[in-house]
Amino acid sequence: MFNLSSVEPIDYLVIGHITQDITPAGPIPGGTAAYAALTARALGWRVGIVTSFAPDISLDIFNGIQIAALPAEHSTTFENIATPEGRIQYLYHTAETLDLPIIPESWRNAAIVHLGPVAQEVEPTLVRAFPNALVGLTPQGWLRRWDGKNRVLPAEWPEATYVLQQAGAAVISLEDVQGNEDRIEEMASSIRVLAVTEGAAGARVYWNGDLRHFSPPHVDEVDSTGAGDIFATAFFTRLYTTRDPWEAARFANQVASLSVTRRGLLGVPTTEEVQTFLYEVVKNQLDLN
């Protein structure tokens, strides 16, 4: 935490809950906000997080990242259970809703604003609060609900068209929409750039009516947790820098492919690894020319 009177300018603002994730090894920080912020830091951006959590969250890993946090009685708490039929997810607690008044004034000028809800916590109208930024969405938290037994289930997203039309780009996974191609097409028609991650198959990108697929490097997967958020952050930053969604997808594939070879937040790339990825991207471009 820090005193808001000492806020410093940032380039990359991520809005969403840092979560408490229950794992066999004990509770660890998680959520889109955590993975995105750590990835953006590795990519060399000045990063701020607007979030809400209780005192049970450890902030040790967020060195160099500014955090504006709304105090909460409970942190948003997830547990993922692997089964032969797929992942079952439970949500036991949620922290506070995130809206414009808690965002430091100077942070509203960030170059990239990443709206990353995990449990319906980000106010959808925030998409219009940053007219000079690239507003990127990872809307998984708007696409889920939870029942009386704490089990996370798919949900409708009534604000989808409104939010997507106001944003610059969005990244979703096939899992977010249960593989519903009609829903993906509907989303793609509402936003200029939509990336859909497909796990080991890579990603596809819709851009102004065009569609391309991007295959990732082959790696041995250990843990895919956070890979989509890492992909999204790499995608948004590269899109901002190059204005080229195809280039952004190639770069994001490289960064995300490394993340699945390590567990949890260890999958976030290091600065040295990012420099290697950038070198490979430039080298490939030169080879193509």
Side-chain angles (χ1 to χ4, degrees), residues 83-165:
T83 74
E85 292 74 36
R87 182 182 70 169
I88 298 176
Q89 188 172 51
Y90 292 92
L91 175 61
Y92 299 114
H93 300 289
T94 56
E96 301 298 320
T97 299
L98 307 176
D99 205 348
L100 189 61
I102 66 170
I103 301 174
E105 191 74 33
S106 64
W107 288 10
R108 302 176 193 182
N109 297 316
I112 301 174
V113 177
H114 181 168
L115 302 185
V118 292
Q120 300 277 357
E121 77 274 19
V122 177
E123 171 55 47
T125 56
L126 277 177
V127 73
R128 295 190 62 185
F130 310 96
N132 299 318
L134 169 63
V135 178
L137 312 175
T138 47
Q140 62 174 333
W142 287 319
L143 294 165
R144 57 172 57 139
R145 58 186 176 88
W146 45 98
D147 63 18
K149 296 182 179 180
N150 302 316
R151 183 166 176 173
V152 175
L153 301 169
E156 296 298 323
W157 183 20
E159 304 91 356
T161 300
Y162 164 79
V163 175
L164 291 166
Q165 287 177 344

Side-chain angles (χ1 to χ4, degrees), residues 21 30-32 34-36 39 80 87 114 138 140 171-173 175-176 195-203 216 219 221-236 248-249 251-269:
D21 291 351
T32 295
Y35 283 94
T39 302
N80 295 317
R87 182 182 70 169
H114 181 168
T138 47
Q140 62 174 333
V171 176
I172 64 170
S173 71
E175 183 183 18
D176 290 337
V196 182
T197 60
E198 303 177 332
V219 296
E221 182 176 315
V222 174
D223 181 11
S224 63
T225 303
D229 299 319
I230 292 170
F231 177 98
T233 305
F235 185 83
F236 295 150
F251 177 65
N253 256 350
Q254 290 283 340
V255 176
S257 67
L258 174 71
S259 74
V260 304
T261 66
R262 304 190 290 240
R263 293 197 178 277
L265 290 169
L266 294 176
V268 173

Side-chain angles (χ1 to χ4, degrees), residues 3-20:
N3 187 331
L4 293 184
S5 65
S6 63
V7 169
E8 297 180 1
I10 62 170
D11 309 304
Y12 195 103
L13 171 61
V14 56
I15 303 174
H17 285 166
I18 297 174
T19 64
Q20 187 79 290

Side-chain angles (χ1 to χ4, degrees), residues 54-77:
D56 58 344
I57 296 284
S58 171
L59 301 179
D60 295 344
I61 61 172
F62 298 102
N63 182 44
I65 296 172
Q66 298 182 77
I67 301 176
L70 192 62
E73 182 178 357
H74 298 286
S75 299
T76 296
T77 304

Side-chain angles (χ1 to χ4, degrees), residues 227-247:
D229 299 319
I230 292 170
F231 177 98
T233 305
F235 185 83
F236 295 150
T237 55
R238 197 67 178 159
L239 178 62
Y240 179 85
T241 302
T242 67
R243 297 298 193 267
D244 183 345
W246 313 142
E247 164 64 18

Side-chain angles (χ1 to χ4, degrees), residues 38-45 230 233-234 237-238 251 254-256 258 262 267-282:
L38 292 170
T39 302
R41 181 184 67 183
L43 291 166
W45 297 74
I230 292 170
T233 305
T237 55
R238 197 67 178 159
F251 177 65
Q254 290 283 340
V255 176
L258 174 71
R262 304 190 290 240
V268 173
T270 65
T271 300
E272 292 74 20
E273 288 167 338
V274 166
Q275 292 304 315
T276 299
F277 296 143
L278 287 171
Y279 170 81
E280 290 296 329
V281 167
V282 172

